[in-house]
Amino acid sequence: MVFKKMLSAFGVGGPSVDTVLTNPNTRPGLALEGQVNLVGGDAPANIERISVGLVTRVEVEGGDHDYAGTMEFHRMPVGGPLQLAPKQQLAIPFQLPVPWETPITDVYGQRLHGMTMGLRTELSIARAVDKGDLDHVAVHPLPVHERILEAFQRLGFRFKNADLERGHIRGVQQTLPFYQEIEFFAAPQYAQAITEVELTFVTNPQGVEVILECDKRGGFLSAGHDVFGRYSVAHTDADRVDFAQLVDGWLRETTSRYGSLRAQFGGYGAQPGYGPQHGYGPQHGHGRRGVGMGGVVAGAALGAVGGMMAGEMIGDAFGGDDEGGDDFGGFEE
């Protein structure tokens, strides 16, 4: 999708910007390619800086209430300083690396309800800044993400919602100042123990840290509470493991009476069933911007999104009434 607009911060007759993405579909660890097209206004313009950045909506805890805010979490300069003559046309190509921890917004063509993502173009002229252009971006899962999501569907879990929480998960190395929670209603065979499960991926070039938060039902003499489990899987295990069996083991271990007390620390390798590791739970604060570009597992560049046979299997589980799924749900222009 292409947006054209006159840069309002620079007045009538100022330059215009038109950012075109070669492909708005991407995955963590890949890149977004495109070009920024500038057209000069009625007078010369000294452009100090042109940058593109990924923006999304993040839930923030604010004392007595939570609120959602727009956050830019990754930015890259693509041009400037330069002088743009009246009516001059200029095309500036760019390739923006997508951080490994970038949250998933789409699964097999279905937008996850609650998720938004966009690429914003920003120009700075004479100390005036205009957030000139905004393009939709779809971030699709890596193979290991897909296998885990498919496993939840095969086990009977139903997708509920997804959002981003500002903060850090204690004990987990993060480069972004938020983490994604993908929420599921409990499958029938787990319903006596838990009501919901929140799934978090923290991805890096070698693999993914999987954090499970299970809303455990209370008993006759005990109140309900949340239990956590943390596991690691290598990207190379995406096609070598029975993930339904693996995820079932994770859930049963996490929700067992002493599951949160056992720690089996494991590295990335051919044995992906690494038991829960200590030191998890939300830890709010500021993060570092960063991007890893190992590039060995991100897969081929996306055209039409692959994996449609599996997508037919789990499409219903991740569909539903996605109100406003095609807009930015309150992003300010």
Side-chain angles (χ1 to χ4, degrees):
M1 187 177 295
V2 175
F3 298 82
K4 285 187 176 182
K5 63 181 289 187
M6 194 68 69
L7 299 184
S8 57
F10 311 132
V12 177
S16 63
V17 62
D18 171 12
T19 298
V20 181
L21 286 172
T22 304
N23 188 343
N25 298 289
T26 190
R27 300 186 198 269
L30 285 180
L32 285 167
E33 297 184 4
Q35 66 181 32
V36 177
N37 299 318
L38 298 175
V39 178
D42 297 335
N46 291 315
I47 297 177
E48 298 172 354
R49 183 181 64 257
I50 307 166
S51 61
V52 294
L54 289 171
V55 294
T56 189
R57 288 182 63 80
V58 178
E59 299 290 331
V60 181
E61 291 187 359
D64 295 335
H65 64 281
D66 298 343
Y67 62 94
T70 301
M71 176 182 291
E72 180 183 85
F73 63 92
H74 182 54
R75 176 188 287 203
M76 182 182 76
V78 299
L82 59 91
Q83 185 175 70
L84 192 65
K87 308 304 178 183
Q88 178 185 357
Q89 298 183 18
L90 184 63
I92 303 174
F94 65 87
Q95 186 178 70
L96 177 69
V98 177
W100 284 98
E101 292 176 25
T102 300
I104 296 164
T105 65
D106 292 69
V107 177
Y108 297 118
Q110 296 279 353
R111 175 60 55 99
L112 292 181
H113 183 62
M115 294 307 303
T116 58
M117 186 71 63
L119 181 77
R120 173 159 281 160
T121 306
E122 185 175 285
L123 272 72
S124 176
I125 301 178
R127 297 183 181 178
V129 175
D130 199 299
K131 299 176 180 179
D133 205 17
L134 183 65
D135 291 84
H136 289 269
V137 171
V139 182
H140 301 268
L142 291 165
V144 69
H145 300 143
E146 291 176 349
R147 303 301 180 267
I148 294 171
L149 293 171
E150 289 169 7
F152 271 90
Q153 190 274 336
R154 288 170 58 191
L155 292 170
F157 287 82
R158 288 189 302 113
F159 172 74
K160 177 184 177 183
N161 191 54
D163 63 12
L164 303 180
E165 298 285 340
R166 183 167 183 173
H168 282 80
I169 300 171
R170 189 175 296 109
V172 178
Q173 185 175 359
Q174 289 176 239
T175 62
L176 298 182
F178 54 75
Y179 54 92
Q180 183 176 32
E181 291 182 338
I182 302 174
E183 302 177 27
F184 294 91
F185 294 110
Q189 67 266 36
Y190 304 94
Q192 289 187 342
I194 57 177
T195 57
E196 296 180 359
V197 175
E198 294 178 353
L199 168 66
T200 294
F201 296 126
V202 181
T203 310
N204 59 56
Q206 289 73 44
V208 58
E209 296 287 328
V210 181
I211 295 89
L212 301 178
E213 180 179 352
C214 300
D215 185 1
K216 194 168 184 179
R217 291 187 184 276
F220 180 67
L221 297 175
S222 62
H225 60 282
D226 292 340
V227 291
F228 297 85
R230 176 182 163 195
Y231 304 87
S232 300
V233 182
H235 291 297
T236 53
D237 286 323
D239 295 319
R240 306 193 305 198
V241 173
D242 182 341
F243 276 92
Q245 182 180 10
L246 182 64
V247 170
D248 176 72
W250 290 348
L251 290 166
R252 295 186 185 280
E253 188 169 16
T254 298
T255 57
S256 66
R257 182 176 182 183
Y258 301 106
S260 62
L261 301 179
R262 296 197 302 271
Q264 300 172 12
F265 290 92
Y268 296 105
Q271 303 296 325
Y274 314 126
Q277 301 176 8
H278 286 304
Y280 29 77
Q283 183 179 42
H284 299 285
H286 299 287
R288 297 178 293 107
R289 290 177 183 159
V291 58
M293 287 304 296
V296 295
V297 300
L302 288 165
V305 179
M308 294 310 294
M309 290 183 63
E312 292 174 2
M313 180 181 73
I314 71 170
D316 291 341
F318 289 91
D321 298 327
D322 186 359
E323 300 175 4
D326 293 330
D327 59 42
F328 278 83
F331 273 9
E332 295 181 359
E333 295 285 350

